[in-house]
Amino acid sequence: MKKFNIRKVLDGLTAASSSSSSATAQPGAPRENDVVQETLQTEQFQLCKTVRHGFPYQPSSMAFDPVQKILAIGTQSGALRLFGRAGVECYCQHESGAAVIQLQFLINEGALVSALADDSIHLWNLRQKIPAILHSLKFNRERITYCHLPFQSKWLYIGTERGNIHIVNVESFTLSGYVIMWNKAIELSTKTHPGPVVHISDNPMDEGKLLIGFECGVVVLWDLKSKKADYRYNYDEAIHSVAWHHEGKQFVCSHSDGTLTTWNVRAPAKPAQIITPHGKQPKDGKKPEPCKPILKVEYKTTRAGDPFMVLSGGLSYDTVGRRACLTVMHGKSTAVLEMDYPIVDFLTLCETPYPNDYQEAYAVVVLLEKDLVVIDLGQIGYPIFENPYPLGIHESPVTCCEYFADCPAELIPALYSIGSRQKRQGYSKKEWPISGGNWGQGAQSYPEIIITGHADGSIKFWDASALMLQVLYKLKTAKVFERARGKDEKPSTDIVEEDPFAIQTLSWCPESRMLCVAGVSAHVIVYRFSKQEITTEVVELLEVRMQSEFSDVDSPDPGGEQTPTLPTSGTSSSPQESEPHFQPCTGSNSSDGPRDNIPCLQVRSSPLKQSPGYQVELVIQLVWVSGEPPQQITSLAINSSYGLVVFGNSNGLAVVDYLQKTLLLNMGTSELYSPSEPYQRQPRSPRKARQPSGALCDSNDGSNASEDRCKSPTSAKMSRKISSSGEHKPDQEKRFQPLTCKMPFYCKNKGKVAAEMNQEGGIYRAKSSPCFYAKDNSFTRSRSSSVTSIDRESREAISSFHFCESYSRKTESLVSPCLLVGTTQGFVIMVALSLPPGGDQRLQQPVGISSCGTLMRLKGGILTMALLDSTGTLLPPSYEPWHDPNASDEEKEKSRRRRPASSPSSQEGQDIQFAVLCSEKQAKVVALPSQTCIYKHSITETSFVLRADVVQIAGTNCITCFCANGHIMTLSLPSLRPLLDVNYLPLTDMRIARTFCFSNMGQALYLTSPTEIQRITYSQETCDNLQEMLSELFTPVETPEAPNRGFFKGLFGGGAQSLDREDLFGETAAGKASRSLAQHIPGPGSMEGMKGAASGVVGELARARIALDERGQKLGELEERTAAMMASAESFSKHAHDMMLKYKDKKWYQL
C-alpha cells in the first residue's frame, strides 16, 4: 500500500496556488528575513538607455563637419547616429520617426540641422553629451526636397517640391519673408513646371549668387540682391546633383542618362563639355548609348595636380547584376570601385571648409545600405581605411546573444591577442579621418564581454567595457563540417533550408574559457581555448539518438535473461566494422526506407588545422530517427569542473562526459519523474517486474515490434561500453538508480569514436528513451498505456539547466554535485552526479547519475535557476581554472581543479541553502535540504516572462525579468520583494525576445534592429554617472583661417564677394513670412525644455548648471549689446565729426 505523505500534498497545493502581490511565507517555515538581511532598495534601481552600437539600420542621409571631424548619419526611422574617433558614438531619435532626408552641420558650431520626410526641420545641440533638439519648424503647405546652409551663415535655404525656395534663420528658427518663387526663377525658359528643387548652392566666389537646380534639367543662377535670374541653363535630361569648381566660374551637373555636363557660368547657351563616364563611344561620332543615372557628383580641386571628380551610378545598362560602383576620375585615370551593397550617399572629405579655396580632397566616405567605407584618395589604388567602429555586428544575422559583465581581467587581453592575428591586410596606413570628440571619463572599470552567435555559424567576442564596443575574436564553427560545393550537392538531411550552421544557443564559462555551442541542425560543439596552433587529424564525434516520448507500439517487456540482439539491417555487427554514417551501407537513407541514424551535417574527415583560440574538443550530433528529423536543442549547459555537457530538447535530455567522450544519459523528459511523484501529469501503467540482468538489443525503429523495446543510449554505430554499478542502496522513494558510464577503450575511425558496448546491470534503450527506475537492484520501465493526441502535440521540453553543489535529497546532510533541470511545464528536477576523483582516475572511472525526483513546480516554463547560501550570497557553479590544453605537463600541473568551498553540513531540520527558481509566470525560493517553498511571487498574470536572470548588483543579488508586455522588473533575494517595474519596451519583434539578456552590475542589452545593439542599465548609480561616462561630440577647435585673397585680387576685386544676408533676409528688409506656411515648435533641448525636464538631485545640479549657462548667456548678450552701443556711439561720433569738418569754414548763407 502506498504511504500517504501529507507534506507532498501540501507542496502540491502550494505549487498550484499563486500569489498575486508580494512574497508569502509557507506555514511552519522559518522567517528568513531574520536570517538574511537584504540591502537592496527601490532607490537603487532606475532604467535608462546608455549607448547603441552597430551600423545604423536603413540609412538615408549623411553629413560631415570638416573642422570638428564628426560624421552624422540619418535613417529611414528617424534615428540619428553621430560618430567621432574610435569609441565616440552617439544615438538620438526624432520623435515623429519620419525618415531623415538631409543633414547639414553648422560647421564648428556644435549644431546640426536635420530635414525629415514629414516636412519638418530640426536644430540639434551637439554641445551636450546627449544631443537635444533646440528648435523645430513644421511646414504645412510645402514639401521639403533640398536644404543648403552656407559655411558661417545663419540663413538656411530650403527648396520644396513646388519649386520654391524659403529661407530660415537657424538662430531663431523663423522664416524670412524673402521667397524665391519658381515662376520668377524660370520665367519663360520652360513652358511647364520645372519640378522640385534638387540642388541649392551659392557661388563660392560670390555669396550673392545662388545656383538653383530643378529636376526637369533647368539650372538658374539667381541674384539675391536684385531678386532676378542672371542666367538660365537648359539641358534635356533630368538633373540629380550639381557641383561647383572652387573658383566659381564652372559647375558640373549629373543627369539621369549617365552624362555629366560642365557649364561656364557666363555661357548659358550650351554646356562647355558633355561626357558619359561609362558610356561606349560610337566610332561614327553619334551620341553614346544612355547609361544609368549618375545620382551624385562632387568636383574637388587640388593645388598640385588634376581635380578629382567622384560620382556614384552611371553604369551602362548592359552591366546587369553588377554591384554598385563609385567612380573616381582623376586626370586621365578613371577608377571604378565596386561596393558590397547599394550606395546611399557619399561625401568627399577636404582639407578646408571654405568652398572658395582649393579643396585638397583626401578621402571619400561612402555610406552603403549595410556598411560604411572610407576610401583613401592619397594612395595609389585607393585603399580603404580600417574601420574602428563596431559596424560588423550584422555581417551575418545575429541569432543569439549573451552578455557577461565583471569578467576575469585576463580574458579580454587573451582574446584580443588571438583575434589581432585574424585582421585583414591591405588597409590604408593613414589614421582614421573621422577623429572628432573625446572619450567619456567613466568610473566603470570592470571588464565586459558580449558574445554574438550568427546565422553562418560564426561566433564573435566583443569587448564592451566602458560603454564602448570592439570586436576581439571571431570563431567559425562551420569549419568543423563539410560544405556542399554546389546546390545539387546539398545534403538531403538538412532540417533547415538556409543557414544550417546557425547558432541556436551557447554556454560559456569565463573562468575556464570552455565554450559550448548548439546549432539549428541539432549539433553541439565543445571548444577549449588554447594559445597554441594544432592540427586535429580526426574530429571526435558522438552521435546521439533522441526519440519522441510517445510510441505507437507498446509491447510487453520480455522477461528473463536475454542475449543481446543486434539489428539485421542498417547497422553493422561490431564496432570494429562500423562505418561512418555517410557511407551507403550505414543508416537507412535510401528511397525505399525512412532516414535513420543519420545526422544533419557531415563532419569533415580531412585533418583540421586549428589556429590559436577556440579549438574543437568534441562534436555531438543528434540523428534522424525513423524518418523523423532530430528536434532542435532548446537548452544547453557546460561545467568545466565536472567535465560535463548537458543539452535538452522536446524529446528529453542528454548528458555527455566530454573528458571521456562518452554519453552518460539519454532520457525522455517524462521518464525523469519518479512514479511516486505528486506532480504526475498523466496516469502510468503498472510497472512490470524485471530481472536484475536485463537485455540489450538494437533494431530499426518500426521494423521489428518485438525488438522495438531496446536501444543503446547512442546509435548502434556509436555504441559505447556502458556499465552500471550493482552496489547501491535501495531507494525507498523509488528514485533512479545511479547510471554509470565507463569507456575502457575507443578507436578513431574516420572522424568517429567507436567503442564496444557491454551490459552489466541491465541498461537498455526503450523506443521513447531510457528510463531507469531502481527497485531491488533492478531496472524497470514505466509507460503510459493511453496517450492522448493533446499529449502528443504538447510535449514537455527541457528549458534550462543549472550545475550546482547542493543537497540532492531531503535526507542529505552534505552537499554534492547536482544538476537542476527545468522543463517547459514548470517542473524543476534534481539530478545527483557522482564524480570520480581527479587526475587519471577521472578519465578512467565512470561518472554516476541519479535522478532525485521533482524539487518544485511553478507556473509556466522554467527560465532560470540559481543557488544562494544561508547569508543570501550567490553560489556560482564550480569551475576549473583555465590552462592551455596544448601546454607542457608542468604548466598543466600548476592549475589544479577548483571547486567553491562546500557549504557546511546541514544539521537536522536546518536549511542552509536557497534554490531560486524563476519561470514564465512566477518566482519561488525553496529552502534546502528541506525542499520547502519559503517565498513565492507572481510576476505576471496576463503576459509571460521572456528572459530572467539572477544577477549581482550593488554587492548583492536580485532577479531581473523582461516580460512580453514590455515590463522590466527586478525582485530582491531571497524575499522576492518587487524593486523595479518599468513599462519599457513592448515586444514588437521576435529578435528582441531572442537577444534580450541581463548581466551583472545592472547592465542589459538587446538587438533593437538587425544591425544594432541597444545597451540599457537598470542601476541608479550608472544612470547618475551616465553623463560622465558618455563621450563628448563637441570639442573647442579654432576655425581655419580664410584663404588669402592675394594683393591683385584684393586690389581689382577678383576675390570672394561677401554678402550681408541680414539686410536681405531680415524682417526689416524682407518682411514677415506667412504664418500658415510653417509652425515653430520649441524643442526639449531649449532652456525652457531643460527646466521642465530637470528633477530630483540630478535635476538640482542640472538646474544650477542651466542657471550658470543662462547667466553666461545673458552676460554674453549684455556684452554684445554693450559692444553694439559702443560701435553705435563711435559711428555717431564719426558722423558728427565729419559734419563738423564739412561745415566748419562755410558761412551761414552757404549752407
Side-chain angles (χ1 to χ4, degrees):
M1 183 177 175
K2 189 174 179 180
K3 186 179 178 182
F4 182 77
N5 191 328
I6 185 65
R7 172 169 283 187
K8 290 189 176 181
V9 175
L10 290 174
D11 286 350
L13 291 172
T14 301
S17 64
S18 64
S19 169
S20 59
S21 57
S22 61
T24 57
Q26 290 291 311
R31 291 186 58 191
E32 297 300 331
N33 282 339
D34 299 339
V35 180
V36 179
Q37 188 67 36
E38 294 182 5
T39 57
L40 283 180
Q41 302 297 325
T42 304
E43 294 76 26
Q44 292 174 274
F45 292 89
Q46 182 184 344
L47 196 69
C48 68
K49 293 181 180 179
T50 52
V51 287
R52 181 174 291 201
H53 302 295
F55 182 77
Y57 184 56
Q58 294 180 334
S60 56
S61 57
M62 177 171 61
F64 182 70
D65 187 327
V67 180
Q68 287 288 320
K69 297 195 182 299
I70 294 289
L71 182 75
I73 297 176
T75 73
Q76 293 180 24
S77 59
L80 202 58
R81 294 285 299 279
L82 296 127
F83 297 92
R85 67 179 62 189
V88 175
E89 293 181 46
C90 184
Y91 159 78
C92 16
Q93 175 73 42
H94 294 91
E95 283 188 11
S96 66
V100 180
I101 58 174
Q102 201 173 349
L103 295 169
Q104 289 271 305
F105 272 102
L106 277 68
I107 293 173
N108 205 27
E109 294 291 332
L112 176 73
V113 173
S114 58
L116 271 58
D118 65 353
D119 309 311
S120 62
I121 56 173
H122 307 270
L123 178 65
W124 290 86
N125 177 17
L126 306 183
R127 289 175 178 252
Q128 55 197 63
K129 291 194 171 183
I130 303 176
I133 293 175
L134 293 170
H135 300 282
S136 297
L137 199 63
K138 179 79 166 65
F139 281 74
N140 299 322
R141 299 186 312 210
E142 299 246 31
R143 305 223 59 185
I144 298 172
T145 56
Y146 195 86
C147 298
H148 171 63
L149 181 67
F151 178 45
Q152 293 182 325
S153 168
K154 68 175 183 180
W155 297 97
L156 174 71
Y157 300 104
I158 295 180
T160 68
E161 197 173 50
R162 291 183 181 179
N164 304 323
I165 293 177
H166 301 276
I167 300 165
V168 175
N169 184 330
V170 293
E171 289 181 352
S172 61
F173 245 54
T174 54
L175 274 170
S176 166
Y178 192 114
V179 181
I180 304 172
M181 304 301 289
W182 68 270
N183 52 352
K184 290 280 186 73
I186 65 164
E187 283 191 352
L188 302 175
S189 60
T190 59
K191 295 180 181 179
T192 57
H193 190 280
V197 175
V198 295
H199 179 82
I200 308 171
S201 61
D202 45 358
N203 188 317
M205 285 296 180
D206 189 351
E207 294 176 351
K209 309 292 185 182
L210 197 68
L211 196 70
I212 307 165
F214 295 95
E215 190 181 60
C216 70
V218 175
V219 179
V220 176
L221 188 66
W222 182 264
D223 189 316
L224 290 167
K225 287 182 180 177
S226 63
K227 299 183 180 179
K228 65 177 184 180
D230 281 355
Y231 301 103
R232 296 182 181 89
Y233 314 86
N234 288 285
Y235 193 70
D236 295 338
E237 295 293 336
I239 289 177
H240 285 277
S241 71
V242 182
W244 277 102
H245 186 282
H246 85 276
E247 291 179 346
K249 296 176 182 178
Q250 277 189 338
F251 61 88
V252 178
C253 300
S254 70
H255 298 276
S256 58
D257 64 344
T259 58
L260 294 173
T261 55
T262 305
W263 299 80
N264 291 325
V265 170
R266 297 182 183 275
K270 65 174 185 177
Q273 186 184 31
I274 302 174
I275 60 171
T276 309
H278 296 287
K280 296 177 182 176
Q281 299 293 337
K283 295 180 180 178
D284 53 4
K286 291 182 180 179
K287 193 176 179 181
E289 294 179 6
C291 295
K292 295 175 183 177
I294 296 176
L295 301 176
K296 186 175 182 179
V297 63
E298 291 202 347
Y299 191 19
K300 303 299 179 183
T301 53
T302 58
R303 273 179 218 279
D306 296 313
F308 281 97
M309 198 174 286
V310 186
L311 54 104
S312 64
L315 296 177
S316 64
Y317 280 102
D318 59 5
T319 55
V320 179
R322 188 172 180 181
R323 291 188 293 185
C325 293
L326 187 81
T327 305
V328 180
M329 302 169 68
H330 186 221
K332 294 182 179 179
S333 71
T334 300
V336 181
L337 310 176
E338 280 198 348
M339 301 292 156
D340 291 336
Y341 305 101
I343 297 172
V344 175
D345 195 4
F346 74 88
L347 293 170
T348 308
L349 307 189
C350 303
E351 296 287 355
T352 176
Y354 293 94
N356 58 354
D357 194 9
Y358 285 99
Q359 299 299 287
E360 303 294 347
Y362 60 90
V364 181
V365 181
V366 189
L367 178 63
L368 308 176
E369 281 188 0
K370 293 184 179 180
D371 202 1
L372 181 72
V373 176
V374 182
I375 299 163
D376 185 357
L377 293 178
Q379 290 189 35
I380 299 170
Y382 304 130
I384 65 171
F385 289 87
E386 185 176 5
N387 198 320
Y389 309 135
L391 302 183
I393 292 172
H394 65 287
E395 187 179 7
S396 173
V398 177
T399 53
C400 72
C401 197
E402 292 295 337
Y403 190 5
F404 300 87
D406 204 14
C407 301
E410 68 278 1
L411 254 181
I412 289 177
L415 289 166
Y416 181 79
S417 64
I418 298 298
S420 60
R421 306 177 198 177
Q422 299 178 325
K423 290 188 176 179
R424 288 171 48 194
Q425 303 298 319
Y427 290 112
S428 169
K429 295 176 182 176
K430 295 181 184 176
E431 299 237 342
W432 180 251
I434 305 165
S435 55
N438 284 320
W439 295 328
Q441 305 298 320
Q444 276 182 299
S445 58
Y446 50 84
E448 299 172 74
I449 291 178
I450 294 171
I451 304 179
T452 53
H454 299 265
D456 64 353
S458 61
I459 293 173
K460 290 182 181 178
F461 292 77
W462 305 82
D463 177 8
S465 310
L467 295 186
M468 296 186 188
L469 194 68
Q470 179 185 14
V471 68
L472 292 171
Y473 170 70
K474 181 179 178 180
L475 171 66
K476 296 179 180 178
T477 64
K479 283 185 176 179
V480 180
F481 302 102
E482 300 281 3
R483 285 183 176 271
R485 295 179 184 175
K487 292 183 179 178
D488 298 336
E489 294 182 36
K490 190 172 181 180
S492 59
T493 51
D494 281 2
I495 55 175
V496 283
E497 292 182 3
E498 295 181 359
D499 304 322
F501 309 110
I503 306 300
Q504 183 106 353
T505 184
L506 59 90
S507 175
W508 187 51
C509 176
E511 290 80 11
S512 66
R513 305 185 191 176
M514 290 296 299
L515 174 68
C516 188
V517 299
V520 294
S521 296
H523 62 276
V524 175
I525 311 175
V526 181
Y527 287 94
R528 281 187 188 273
F529 187 84
S530 173
K531 294 181 179 179
Q532 316 286 331
E533 182 178 296
I534 61 167
T535 300
T536 305
E537 294 296 330
V538 179
V539 177
E540 308 249 34
L541 171 65
L542 258 180
E543 289 179 3
V544 179
R545 184 182 178 93
M546 295 182 75
Q547 295 176 257
S548 167
E549 296 180 19
F550 306 107
S551 170
D552 293 330
V553 182
D554 194 8
S555 57
D557 283 334
E561 192 169 327
Q562 293 186 349
T563 21
T565 313
L566 291 171
T568 54
S569 63
T571 54
S572 52
S573 58
S574 69
Q576 288 77 12
E577 296 172 8
S578 66
E579 291 293 326
H581 58 275
F582 329 118
Q583 303 296 330
C585 62
T586 61
S588 311
N589 194 20
S590 57
S591 57
D592 56 351
R595 297 191 192 102
D596 199 35
N597 292 334
I598 300 169
C600 301
L601 299 174
Q602 179 174 332
V603 174
R604 62 183 293 166
S605 54
S606 57
L608 176 63
K609 182 181 177 182
Q610 305 204 62
S611 303
Y614 275 101
Q615 299 170 349
V616 179
E617 173 85 359
L618 176 66
V619 177
I620 307 162
Q621 288 184 289
L622 301 187
V623 296
W624 285 65
V625 178
S626 303
E628 290 292 326
Q631 297 297 309
Q632 291 187 350
I633 291 161
T634 55
S635 53
L636 178 73
I638 187 169
N639 187 283
S640 58
S641 179
Y642 306 156
L644 300 179
V645 169
V646 58
F647 56 92
N649 59 15
S650 58
N651 286 342
L653 84 160
V655 183
V656 171
D657 182 342
Y658 66 79
L659 297 177
Q660 297 188 26
K661 313 290 189 297
T662 55
L663 178 70
L664 299 178
L665 183 69
N666 178 10
M667 184 171 286
T669 313
S670 64
E671 295 166 338
L672 280 168
Y673 302 96
S674 168
S676 59
E677 293 290 350
Y679 301 105
Q680 288 302 317
R681 282 115 44 246
Q682 58 184 17
R684 291 175 178 266
S685 58
R687 297 187 299 114
K688 304 173 180 66
R690 192 132 175 90
Q691 296 297 325
S693 127
L696 166 71
C697 59
D698 205 339
S699 69
N700 269 352
D701 283 291
S703 60
N704 192 330
S706 62
E707 294 176 345
D708 178 76
R709 314 254 351 118
C710 311
K711 291 281 179 185
S712 64
T714 58
S715 65
K717 301 180 295 303
M718 281 307 306
S719 55
R720 304 230 164 247
K721 180 172 181 179
I722 298 182
S723 61
S724 66
S725 170
E727 298 178 5
H728 43 79
K729 297 174 183 178
D731 186 355
Q732 296 182 2
E733 291 189 3
K734 300 177 183 175
R735 306 293 187 187
F736 291 162
Q737 176 177 335
L739 164 67
T740 57
C741 305
K742 184 177 177 182
M743 188 175 151
F745 75 91
Y746 58 88
C747 62
K748 296 176 181 177
N749 182 12
K750 294 189 181 180
K752 302 171 116 185
V753 183
E756 182 183 357
M757 165 88 76
N758 80 338
Q759 183 75 12
E760 292 182 6
I763 304 177
Y764 65 94
R765 174 74 163 85
K767 180 178 177 182
S768 60
S769 50
C771 175
F772 310 120
Y773 289 110
K775 183 183 180 184
D776 301 328
N777 200 20
S778 66
F779 291 98
T780 54
R781 175 171 168 272
S782 172
R783 298 284 296 154
S784 170
S785 56
S786 60
V787 180
T788 65
S789 60
I790 297 174
D791 289 328
R792 290 176 186 273
E793 291 171 5
S794 58
R795 283 188 286 181
E796 185 175 14
I798 305 296
S799 57
S800 62
F801 295 110
H802 181 70
F803 284 102
C804 57
E805 304 258 342
S806 186
Y807 303 94
S808 56
R809 293 181 174 85
K810 297 179 183 180
T811 55
E812 296 286 345
S813 60
L814 294 173
V815 297
S816 59
C818 296
L819 172 66
L820 289 174
V821 181
T823 74
T824 53
Q825 300 287 344
F827 290 90
V828 179
I829 301 159
M830 180 78 81
V831 176
L833 307 172
S834 174
L835 297 171
D840 293 337
Q841 295 183 60
R842 173 63 184 86
L843 299 176
Q844 294 173 359
Q845 294 184 16
V847 175
I849 301 179
S850 61
S851 176
C852 305
T854 305
L855 175 66
M856 190 59 59
R857 186 178 186 183
L858 285 73
K859 287 183 180 179
I862 303 298
L863 296 178
T864 190
M865 299 172 285
L867 217 61
L868 308 177
D869 66 11
S870 57
T871 63
T873 306
L874 189 68
L875 294 172
S878 58
Y879 61 87
E880 178 186 68
W882 176 78
H883 64 84
D884 199 323
N886 302 317
S888 62
D889 293 337
E890 294 179 5
E891 292 180 15
K892 289 182 182 179
E893 284 298 319
K894 290 178 184 177
S895 58
R896 296 284 183 183
R897 187 176 306 278
R898 174 175 153 193
R899 296 176 187 169
S902 299
S903 301
S905 59
S906 170
Q907 301 297 323
E908 189 67 30
Q910 184 180 1
D911 293 320
I912 58 170
Q913 279 188 350
F914 304 108
V916 180
L917 315 173
C918 186
S919 73
E920 295 170 327
K921 292 286 188 180
Q922 62 180 175
K924 287 186 180 182
V925 174
V926 179
L928 297 175
S930 68
Q931 299 187 5
T932 54
C933 177
I934 56 171
Y935 295 107
K936 64 180 176 179
H937 176 77
S938 178
I939 299 171
T940 176
E941 293 289 345
T942 57
S943 184
F944 58 92
V945 179
L946 290 165
R947 177 78 186 225
D949 289 290
V950 176
V951 296
Q952 294 180 331
I953 182 172
T956 183
N957 311 293
C958 66
I959 298 179
T960 52
C961 306
F962 172 55
C963 292
N965 60 9
H967 283 253
I968 290 179
M969 290 173 278
T970 61
L971 304 173
S972 71
L973 286 176
S975 67
L976 302 179
R977 284 182 298 112
L979 297 170
L980 175 75
D981 188 351
V982 177
N983 189 1
Y984 170 69
L985 177 78
L987 181 64
T988 54
D989 198 314
M990 280 308 295
R991 177 184 59 253
I992 298 171
R994 191 175 65 247
T995 57
F996 200 104
C997 49
F998 295 99
S999 188
N1000 294 331
M1001 319 303 285
Q1003 307 297 327
L1005 64 81
Y1006 59 93
L1007 240 72
T1008 185
S1009 75
T1011 62
E1012 296 168 290
I1013 286 177
Q1014 177 67 56
R1015 291 167 69 178
I1016 61 175
T1017 181
Y1018 48 93
S1019 162
Q1020 177 69 56
E1021 182 184 3
T1022 306
C1023 291
D1024 292 346
N1025 297 328
L1026 188 58
Q1027 282 286 340
E1028 294 178 12
M1029 294 160 60
L1030 291 174
S1031 53
E1032 287 182 288
L1033 289 168
F1034 180 79
T1035 51
V1037 180
E1038 285 191 19
T1039 303
E1041 290 186 11
N1044 191 356
R1045 295 170 66 182
F1047 175 74
F1048 290 105
K1049 284 187 176 180
L1051 186 65
F1052 298 109
Q1057 301 295 314
S1058 62
L1059 172 73
D1060 189 349
R1061 295 185 178 92
E1062 188 69 39
D1063 286 349
L1064 281 176
F1065 307 143
E1067 193 174 313
T1068 307
K1072 290 186 177 180
S1074 170
R1075 289 186 178 182
S1076 61
L1077 182 63
Q1079 177 189 0
H1080 176 259
I1081 306 164
S1086 62
M1087 289 296 176
E1088 295 79 13
M1090 290 171 76
K1091 282 178 187 172
S1095 61
V1097 180
V1098 180
E1100 293 294 336
L1101 292 171
R1103 274 195 285 272
R1105 197 175 295 135
I1106 291 165
L1108 287 171
D1109 290 345
E1110 285 181 336
R1111 187 170 175 230
Q1113 186 178 334
K1114 287 174 182 175
L1115 286 172
E1117 289 172 359
L1118 182 61
E1119 189 178 347
E1120 288 173 6
R1121 281 200 295 271
T1122 307
M1125 288 173 68
M1126 286 177 65
S1128 176
E1130 284 178 11
S1131 176
F1132 180 76
S1133 172
K1134 184 173 176 290
H1135 284 301
H1137 184 69
D1138 289 345
M1139 287 190 70
M1140 184 269 293
L1141 292 175
K1142 184 177 179 182
Y1143 298 109
K1144 180 180 178 184
D1145 299 325
K1146 291 188 178 182
K1147 302 296 181 184
W1148 65 270
Y1149 53 82
Q1150 292 176 317
L1151 296 174

